[in-house]
Amino acid sequence: MALFPAFAGVSEDPDSGNPRRELDWLNNPSFSVGTETSLSQQTEEAPALVSEGPPLTRSPLKSEPSDESDTNKLLKQVSRRKKKEKKKKRRHQHHKKTRRKRSQSRSTSLEPDSDSENDSSSRSISSSKKESKKPNQENNAAAVPGPRFVWLEDIQAVAGDTFRTDKKPDPANWEYKSLYRGDIARYKRKGDSCLGINPKKQCISWEGASTEKKHSHKHIERYFTKKNVGLMSMDGDAVSRKPEPLSSEPISFIPVKGSDDGVPPAATWLNPLGIYDQSTTQWLQGQGPLEQESKQPDSQPDRENALLKAKVEEFNRRVRENPRDIQLWMAFVAFQDEVMRSPGLCAIEEGEREERKRSLQLALEKKLAVLERAIESNPSSVELKLAKLKLCTEFWEPSTLVKEWQKLIFLHPNNTALWQKYLLFCQSQFSTFSVSKIHNLYGKCLSTLSAVKDGSILSHPALPGTEEAMFALLLQQCHFLRQAGHSEKAVSLFQAMVDFTFFKPDSVVELPTKGQVEFFEPFWDSGEPRPGEKGARGWRAWMHQQERGGWVVIGPDDDDDEPEGDDQEVRDKTLPRWQVWLAAERSRDQRHWRPWRPDKTKKQTEEDCEDPERQVLFDDIAQSLIRLSSQDLQFQLIAAFLQFLGVPSGLSFPDSCLYLAMDENSIFDNGLYDEKPLTSLNLSFSGISCIGRTDQLGCRRWARGHSREGEEFIRNVFHLVLPLFSGKERSELYFSWLRYEIAKVIWCLHTKNKKRLKSQGKNCKKLAKNLLKEPENRNNFCLWKQYAHLEWLLGNTEDARKVFDTALSMVGSRELKDHELCELSLLYAALEVELLPDLGGATTARAVHILTRLTESSPCGPYTGQVSAVHILKARKVYEHALQDCLGESCVSDTAPTDSWKRLISLVKCFMLFQYLTVGINAAVQIYEQVFARMKGSVSPAGASLEDSANPLGLSSVLEAVTLMHTSLLRFHMKVSVYPLAPLREALSEALKLYPGNQVLWRSYVQIQNKSHNASKTRRFFDAITRSAKPLEPWLFAIEAEKMRKRLVESVQRVDGREVHATIPETGLTHRIKALFENAMQSDSGSQCPLLWRMYLNFLVSLGNKERSKGVFYKALQNCPWAKVLYMDAVDYFPDEMHEILDLMTEKELRVRLPLEELELLLED
C-alpha cells in the first residue's frame, strides 16, 4: 500500500511500465485503504482549514515498534495546533509557514543521497495526489467496510473508537513495583473549595499532593524565625546511651538511642546490619508508610492545638458558669497571649495562617472582646475597666482616653487605687501635660477623697485604707512639684499641712475638711510666720491672739543676714552661654527653694519680689489640704517633711510613688561601706534627691547641707515639731537630727576639707551635748550611740570609749532584754573590731569584753584585761538560751509586738559577732543559718520587704536585718583574711531572692561580682530575678553591673588616658546594656522612672551617638514630661538645642528661674 493511499494510482499506473524502484519508500504496507472515507469526511467538514494551507505532513513510519511513540508525538503536535488556532490569523499563517519549511528541510535530510530526479518526481507525485485526492477517497471508502486503526487527530468520533489495544508487554511493569509517574494523569486543582457548598457550615478535606507539593518549594526557614523560636518551648525527646555492659574490648562507636526506641529491627536481606528504621526499610521495599505514620510529623502541632482548644473550651465553660469571677476573666485575657503564640490555632487554613502572621493587633482585638464580654457580666468591676483602658491605649486617641478615664472616676470617686492610676496616666501624657493642669488634678483628687472620707458624698462610702492612700498621694504631689522645679509650692504645701494638722484651733475641729480649709485661709494670708520660719507659733496661737484683738509682732533681728546677691551667679562670662545658664539655674535652685514672703520689719510688699513665681498663693495649696487623724500618719508627715529637706529620717517611701520620685543615682554609692562594712552609716536616701538639688548625673550623693538660710530653716522645723511628740517618736526625731549633722561630717571627711570639718565637728558635738542634757534624753542610748560614733569618726578614739563606757555604766540589770543597749554594745564592739588590722589582738579582746559583759547582770565597766574562757563559755550559753526564747516567741505569728522583733534583731547580731570573735566565721554563719531556717518559711519571696515597708516590723524585716549583718560580717572577714568568695555570693543570692528591693544587698552583690572575670553567672542571676520580681532595683543594678564591666574593659584598653585600642573585643557590652534599658522600660514603673531615663540618656551620650540620644530624650519626655532634670541634662548634652528645650519647658510650665533674656542682661553687665 502506498504511503499516500489517495494517490496510490500514481505509483501503480499500468501505463507507466515498471514502477521506479526509487519510489518504493512511498509504500506503507501497514496502512488500510478504508481510511479514505474518514479522510474525505474530515476534508468536507473543514474546507476552510484546507484552504488556508497545506495539510499536516506526516513523517513516514520506519518500523512497527515505534508506532506508539510516533502516535504520542502526533498527539502532542495536534494539541499544539489546536492551541495556536485560537490566535490571530496572521500569526497562525506565519507559524504554519515556518512549520512547513521545517518539515521540508526535515524530509530532505532523511535522504541525503537522493538526486534531483527523485526530488522532481516526488514533487510531481505530490501534485498528482492533490488532483486525484477526492475520487480516490470515494473509491477506497466503498471498498473498505470499516476502519481497524484510526488517526486520533483526523477524526472527531465517539470515545470508543479512539482507543487502541497495545498487546506488547512493558518490561517496566515487572521491574518496578508501581506505575511510572508519567503514565498517571495529573491535574491542577484551583483552590480548596467546591462549588455548591456552604463555606460557613461545610468544608472538604482534599487528600492529594497539591498542598504537599506547594510546601515542598517553600523557602527553608532559619532557626531565628518566629515559627522555629516557638519550637524551643516544646519539650524535646530525651536521648540517652544504651545501657551496655562494661567490656575491656574497644568499641568503634558509642551507640545512642532515643527515649521511644524499642526492640532493634532484625537483620534481613534489605537490612543486613540492622541499622535501618522501619520507614527506611519500607522505602527500600517500594512501600509507603501507613496512613497514621504518614501523619506523625504533624502529630505534635495537632496535639498542641487540641490542648489549646480544650483550654479555650474550658475557659468558656468556666466563665459561662461563673461570670462573676473577676480573676477568671483576667486569666482568660492573659491566656490570649498563649493562644497567639501557638502555631495554627487562630488560622483556619494553611494560606490564611501564612497571611495573618498573628499580629499584635489581632491579639489586642481578642483581648478587648473578652474584656467587653466580662464587663457586660460585671458592670461594677473597676479592675476589668482598668484593664480595658490600658488595652485601649493602643487604639484610642489621648482625648478619647481622657474622657473614658473621667467617666470611670465619676462612677468610682472613692477608689484610691483608681485615682492613683488616673493621675499617673495624665501625668505621663506629653500632648496634654502641663504643670498647672496636673497640680489642679491632684487637688481635685485629694479634695474629692476628703469629701468621701467626711461623708459628704453619700452615694460612695469611704473604703478601708483611704487615709493612708491620701497621704501617699500628698507625698506624690509634693515630689511632683519638686521635680517640676516648683520647690516653693511643695515646701508651702508641707508648711500648710503641719499647721493644718498640729496647730488646728479647737473651734474648727468638728467641721468638715472644706470648712476647716475656709477658716485656714485668713491665717495663711495674714503674713504670720510659718513652720520653718523664725518666730512661727502656729495657726492656733494666731487664732487666740486674733480673738484677743491683737497681732503677733515680730521684732527686727539684729543678726539678720545680708540680702542675697545675684552677682555671684555668673562667675566666668567667657564660658559658653549654655554652661553659664546651667550654673546659674542650679545655683538659684539651691538657694531659692523656700517661698518668698515680704519682710514686714523691712516694710516689704509683694511688689518687691523680683520673681513672682516664688510667691505661693492660698489657691495653689487649698485643694490639697487633708485631715490626718492617725497618730502614726501625723508622725510620718513630719518625717516626710524632714526627708524632703534632706534629713535622713528613715521613712520608707510608699511603693506607689517610689520610682516616680527616684531621679538621682545615689543608690549606687556605697559611701563608707567598703571601708567599714560593720559600722557604716546607711543614710538610705533611695535615689530621691532632696530639695534644691538638680545636679548632673554622677555627682556623689552626700549630705552636704544647704545654705545658711536653709540650715536655719531645718533647725526651726525641729524646734517647732519636737514639743509635739513624746517618747519614742521624739527620740527618733532627735536621732534623725543628730544623724543629719553626722552625715555632713562624713561628707567633710570624704572631701578632706579640714577647715570645714573642724567647724562642722564642733557644731555637731555641741548639738549632741545639748540634746543629751535634756532630762528625757539622759538614758537615751540612741543619742549616746550617735555621740560616741561622732567622736570615733573625728578620730577621738579615747573620748569615744569614755562616752561608750559612761553610757554602759548607767545600765542596771537589763542583760539582753533591752534592744537599744544591745545596739550600743554592738556598735562599740564593731568599732573596736575594725581597728583589728592596726592594733592586732588587743581590739579583739576589747570587743569580746564588751559582748561578754552584756550578758552579765552587773553594769559594764571599763576594759581591764583579756576575758577568761569561763566567762566566754557562760556568755555563749546565755546567748543560746536567749536566742531560743526569742525565736520561740517571735516565730509564732507575724503579729508579735515591735519590741520583740527589735530585740531579736539586736540579739542575733550580737551573738553572731560574739561567735565570730571567739570561735570563727563558720560559727557565726551557723547562727545565721539557724535563724534563716526557722524564719524563711514565714516569709514570702520576691518583694516581701516592699510589702512590709509601711508596717513597723515583721518577720520579713527581721530576716532582712539579720541577712545584712551576715553579709557585712563576711565582707569584713574577707577584708582582713583569706576566705573564699562562694559563701558570700550564695548568701547574697539567697537574700536577694527574698528581698529584690534591698539596695544595700544589691550594692554588695554588684561589687563582689565585678571582681569576677566570668559574667555568665551574674547575668543568669539577674535574668532570673528580673523575670519574677516586680521592683525596679534588679534592672537598675543589672545595668550598673554591665556598665562597671564596660569601664573595666575600657580601662584595660586605654593607655595613658588616650583613645581606646581595639586589641580586645567589646563582647557586645554596649548592645547588652541597651537591651537592659529597653527591657526595664517595658513596665509602667520603669517607663515612668526619671532616674532610668537619665541613665539611658547619659549612656548613649557617652557612646557619642548624638542622634540616637536625641531620640531617647524625646522618648523620655513622652513618659516623664514633668522631670526638670531631664531637660537640664539635654541642655548639657545638646547645647545647640538650648533655645528649643527652654521653649518646651516654658510651654509645659516647668520652672525656669533664669530666662534667656535675663541671661543676656547678666552677660552684658
Side-chain angles (χ1 to χ4, degrees), residues 348-405:
I348 301 174
E349 301 174 357
E350 288 291 331
E352 187 178 359
R353 186 184 308 167
E354 295 296 328
E355 292 174 1
R356 282 190 177 181
K357 301 294 186 181
R358 291 180 293 277
S359 62
L360 177 63
Q361 188 79 6
L362 179 61
L364 295 176
E365 291 175 357
K366 289 176 71 68
K367 288 183 179 181
L368 186 59
V370 175
L371 284 173
E372 289 176 350
R373 182 179 160 197
I375 293 173
E376 290 177 1
S377 302
N378 304 273
S380 61
S381 174
V382 180
E383 186 178 1
L384 292 174
K385 294 177 182 179
L386 281 175
K388 180 183 176 182
L389 284 176
K390 184 177 180 180
L391 198 64
C392 291
T393 308
E394 304 290 337
F395 299 99
W396 295 348
E397 295 293 331
S399 58
T400 309
L401 277 173
V402 171
K403 292 180 181 179
E404 292 296 325
W405 270 106

Side-chain angles (χ1 to χ4, degrees), residues 463-527:
L463 299 176
T466 300
E467 190 173 352
E468 290 78 5
M470 292 170 62
F471 176 69
L473 290 173
L474 177 68
L475 292 185
Q476 183 174 327
Q477 181 184 9
C478 292
H479 282 279
F480 163 75
L481 292 173
R482 173 187 62 81
Q483 289 177 323
H486 296 270
S487 305
E488 301 90 347
K489 292 182 180 179
V491 173
S492 296
L493 184 54
F494 270 117
Q495 288 177 319
M497 279 299 301
V498 171
D499 264 325
F500 194 75
T501 303
F502 297 99
F503 301 97
K504 189 178 298 181
D506 298 334
S507 58
V508 299
V509 172
E510 301 299 331
L511 295 177
T513 305
K514 186 176 181 181
Q516 295 180 8
V517 171
E518 291 176 355
F519 275 96
F520 184 71
E521 183 176 2
F523 165 72
W524 186 264
D525 295 335
S526 64

Side-chain angles (χ1 to χ4, degrees), residues 282-547:
Q282 288 179 351
W283 184 83
L284 291 174
Q285 293 176 354
Q287 300 176 0
L290 298 176
E291 185 176 358
Q292 297 178 353
E293 296 178 359
S294 62
K295 295 181 180 180
Q296 189 172 0
D298 295 334
S299 61
Q300 184 71 16
D302 292 343
R303 194 182 309 113
E304 291 183 359
N305 294 342
L307 291 175
L308 286 173
K309 288 179 180 178
K311 288 184 180 180
V312 172
E313 294 175 358
E314 179 67 16
F315 269 116
N316 287 324
R317 182 188 62 79
R318 292 174 61 188
V319 298
R320 187 169 54 251
E321 295 175 356
N322 303 310
R324 302 292 182 183
D325 192 349
I326 306 299
Q327 299 302 323
L328 181 60
W329 282 109
M330 297 300 295
F332 194 17
V333 172
F335 176 70
Q336 302 305 316
D337 294 329
E338 182 180 354
V339 173
M340 295 309 299
R341 287 194 297 266
S342 66
L345 185 62
C346 299
I348 301 174
E349 301 174 357
E350 288 291 331
E352 187 178 359
R353 186 184 308 167
E354 295 296 328
E355 292 174 1
R356 282 190 177 181
K357 301 294 186 181
R358 291 180 293 277
S359 62
L360 177 63
Q361 188 79 6
L362 179 61
L364 295 176
E365 291 175 357
K366 289 176 71 68
K367 288 183 179 181
L368 186 59
V370 175
L371 284 173
E372 289 176 350
R373 182 179 160 197
I375 293 173
E376 290 177 1
S377 302
N378 304 273
S380 61
S381 174
V382 180
E383 186 178 1
L384 292 174
K385 294 177 182 179
L386 281 175
K388 180 183 176 182
L389 284 176
K390 184 177 180 180
L391 198 64
C392 291
T393 308
E394 304 290 337
F395 299 99
W396 295 348
E397 295 293 331
S399 58
T400 309
L401 277 173
V402 171
K403 292 180 181 179
E404 292 296 325
W405 270 106
Q406 291 174 351
K407 292 179 183 178
L408 191 58
I409 288 293
F410 179 77
L411 294 175
H412 307 277
N414 60 339
N415 194 316
T416 55
L418 188 61
W419 276 108
Q420 167 74 19
K421 296 185 185 314
Y422 178 47
L423 290 170
L424 288 181
F425 168 76
C426 296
Q427 191 170 328
S428 59
Q429 292 294 316
F430 179 77
S431 58
T432 59
F433 171 82
S434 68
V435 174
S436 61
K437 185 183 298 184
I438 303 301
H439 179 58
N440 294 332
L441 191 60
Y442 272 104
K444 181 181 178 181
C445 167
L446 292 173
S447 60
T448 304
L449 290 176
S450 296
V452 170
K453 184 173 177 294
D454 295 338
S456 302
I457 301 179
L458 301 178
S459 58
H460 294 80
L463 299 176
T466 300
E467 190 173 352
E468 290 78 5
M470 292 170 62
F471 176 69
L473 290 173
L474 177 68
L475 292 185
Q476 183 174 327
Q477 181 184 9
C478 292
H479 282 279
F480 163 75
L481 292 173
R482 173 187 62 81
Q483 289 177 323
H486 296 270
S487 305
E488 301 90 347
K489 292 182 180 179
V491 173
S492 296
L493 184 54
F494 270 117
Q495 288 177 319
M497 279 299 301
V498 171
D499 264 325
F500 194 75
T501 303
F502 297 99
F503 301 97
K504 189 178 298 181
D506 298 334
S507 58
V508 299
V509 172
E510 301 299 331
L511 295 177
T513 305
K514 186 176 181 181
Q516 295 180 8
V517 171
E518 291 176 355
F519 275 96
F520 184 71
E521 183 176 2
F523 165 72
W524 186 264
D525 295 335
S526 64
E528 283 298 298
R530 300 167 187 170
E533 299 176 2
K534 189 171 183 178
R537 297 185 181 182
W539 182 18
R540 186 186 300 113
W542 175 85
M543 184 71 90
H544 291 328
Q545 188 72 22
Q546 193 177 29
E547 290 174 355

